[in-house]
Amino acid sequence: MNSYEKKSEKGKQNHPNNPMLTDEPKERPGNPYQHEKKQSSVNTAANIKEMGAPVIPTSAIGNNIHCMTIIGQVEGHMVLPPQNKTTKYEHVLPQLAAIEQSEEIEGLLLILNTVGGDVEAGLAIAEMISTMSKPSVSLILGGGHSIGVPLSVCTNYSFIASTATMTIHPIRMTGLVIGGPQTYEYFDKMQKRISNFITDHASISKKRLNELLYNTRELANEVGTVLIGSDAVENGLINEVGGLHEALSKLKKLIKEKRRTAR
Amino acid sequence: MILHTIVDSNLIWKNQDAEPVKTIELIWQGVPMEVIKKDEKTVVINRILTTNLKHYLNPSIQPGMEITYTLTSRE
């Protein structure tokens, strides 16, 4: 029995009734594997165009950490027009389920540079990450605004770059409002969903979060607060100011601790 | 749907009347997916439509990847 067969057998034993976790045969009649050579050249060209290098260095990296990026708008129930750069929840949610199930992946590094987006999608992703059994660390670079705040605090540990910003402001709407009090009540409930998630997963108090949310002295056409780097740490939203090295070191440490407790 | 974002809604919805991108569903290497036609021989993966979790971690079929696939007239 070769190593592939051994691995395959092991996977089947662990999950005898789960067809999702059984290894697929490497070759199967009828599968168009003849495309592979052509595909390789297409991907090389795409890599040069998108990344500036023909080959993305993956082989030298240990693959027990999965890096997920959340950039631009978090896109949820509606497809946003094409000028928006988006992260779609239908891509992220099954990937998180796959990470949780994967035997190779031991930790998640969440890199955030988001302007916010759909409340339901943002909270769905945040809930998925916060309920994972594997260690996770977030790193905010550039910005983690609006619904990006729950996404920033949903991991086991969070870092913010010293130049990164977080805008804390309440949800809002524009356009026709039918039934003022009812609309207010609805928005109040929606805001509570977000605020409760933040206070449950960060060390900021509800009182302090509300002060930041309804601050009228910082933003010209909006209520709220902009926190830059260490401000987010001082207010108890983020654990530490740091960059890539710190985030990866912390994640590796959490993975080691998890391995130790699993024994 | 409520957007909680710092970007002005006028900017977000600026081109909302633009023609939606036409997507095609196909099965490539056993994986059902939704793609966008780029040219006669290339399609760009828009979304993976599978219940097999392993497919979501396969780097060669991530959304945005180009694959060589000749569409038939039926597709």
Side-chain angles (χ1 to χ4, degrees):
Chain A
M1 193 182 275
N2 62 31
S3 61
Y4 174 78
E5 286 167 335
K6 272 182 192 166
K7 195 181 161 194
S8 179
E9 278 304 308
K10 194 183 159 196
K12 281 173 190 168
Q13 280 162 11
N14 288 346
H15 310 279
N17 298 321
N18 191 345
M20 289 200 285
L21 292 172
T22 54
D23 290 331
E24 283 187 341
K26 284 204 167 171
E27 286 197 24
R28 216 167 35 182
N31 267 2
Y33 279 92
Q34 64 270 24
H35 285 294
E36 272 182 4
K37 257 191 177 175
K38 276 185 186 173
Q39 191 54 45
S40 164
S41 64
V42 170
N43 287 342
T44 303
N47 284 343
I48 292 170
K49 190 183 159 203
E50 300 294 336
M51 312 285 186
V55 180
I56 311 303
T58 53
S59 57
I61 304 167
N63 61 355
N64 66 334
I65 292 174
H66 186 93
C67 178
M68 178 177 277
T69 51
I70 294 183
I71 51 92
Q73 292 279 355
V74 178
E75 190 180 293
H77 303 307
M78 287 179 80
V79 177
L80 297 180
Q83 81 275 9
N84 295 284
K85 187 173 264 193
T86 65
T87 300
K88 297 170 198 296
Y89 76 158
E90 66 265 36
H91 295 167
V92 174
L93 296 183
Q95 212 177 90
L96 286 168
I99 293 163
E100 177 69 11
Q101 286 280 357
S102 168
E103 286 176 14
E104 290 85 33
I105 298 169
E106 293 183 278
L108 173 71
L109 177 66
L110 187 70
I111 295 180
L112 291 146
N113 194 354
T114 175
V115 289
D118 187 301
V119 170
E120 308 260 312
L123 285 179
I125 298 168
E127 288 281 8
M128 285 277 277
I129 295 169
S130 70
T131 52
M132 278 174 72
S133 66
K134 295 179 179 180
S136 54
V137 168
S138 65
L139 172 61
I140 307 152
L141 301 161
H145 309 283
S146 315
I147 202 66
V149 178
L151 286 165
S152 310
V153 303
C154 68
T155 50
N156 298 125
Y157 204 85
S158 52
F159 286 92
I160 185 167
S162 59
T163 55
T165 58
M166 298 178 86
T167 308
I168 318 293
H169 66 105
I171 54 171
R172 62 189 168 194
M173 71 170 290
T174 51
L176 181 68
V177 175
I178 302 168
Q182 292 88 342
T183 307
Y184 173 80
E185 284 298 322
Y186 177 70
F187 269 67
D188 192 43
K189 275 187 181 173
M190 294 304 109
Q191 184 58 54
K192 272 184 187 153
R193 289 167 75 192
I194 300 168
S195 299
N196 288 346
F197 186 92
I198 296 169
T199 51
D200 287 350
H201 293 86
S203 47
I204 191 169
S205 67
K206 277 188 182 164
K207 186 172 174 262
R208 181 62 189 147
L209 182 62
N210 281 337
E211 283 171 9
L212 297 174
L213 278 169
Y214 301 108
N215 179 11
T216 54
R217 286 178 291 179
E218 274 204 27
L219 304 172
N221 58 350
E222 172 74 280
V223 291
T225 310
V226 177
L227 301 172
I228 303 172
S230 56
D231 297 340
V233 178
E234 283 159 21
N235 280 287
L237 269 176
I238 299 298
N239 294 114
E240 214 175 302
V241 174
L244 185 59
H245 171 68
E246 287 83 4
L248 275 172
S249 301
K250 181 69 186 179
L251 185 55
K252 284 175 187 169
K253 199 177 159 195
L254 290 173
I255 290 170
K256 269 186 192 168
E257 280 171 18
K258 166 107 178 147
R259 277 187 204 151
R260 210 178 306 136
T261 52
R263 273 179 210 154
Chain B
M1 188 190 73
I2 303 170
L3 285 180
H4 188 214
T5 174
I6 55 164
V7 182
D8 189 271
S9 58
N10 292 325
L11 283 175
I12 295 171
W13 299 108
K14 200 168 68 179
N15 293 324
Q16 63 175 320
D17 296 329
E19 188 74 16
V21 181
K22 196 184 167 202
T23 56
I24 303 150
E25 282 182 27
L26 54 86
I27 297 174
W28 192 76
Q29 292 197 352
V31 183
M33 56 179 70
E34 187 183 86
V35 299
I36 298 165
K37 185 181 173 183
K38 190 185 177 195
D39 55 47
E40 289 309 310
K41 287 181 180 174
T42 318
V43 293
V44 179
I45 300 172
N46 190 46
R47 189 181 163 194
I48 310 164
L49 306 167
T50 170
T51 53
N52 188 336
L53 291 177
K54 286 181 84 176
H55 294 153
Y56 290 95
L57 296 178
N58 183 346
S60 65
I61 52 166
Q62 289 302 304
M65 295 291 291
E66 290 179 6
I67 53 173
T68 307
Y69 189 96
T70 309
L71 294 164
T72 61
S73 55
R74 196 163 51 88
E75 287 162 326

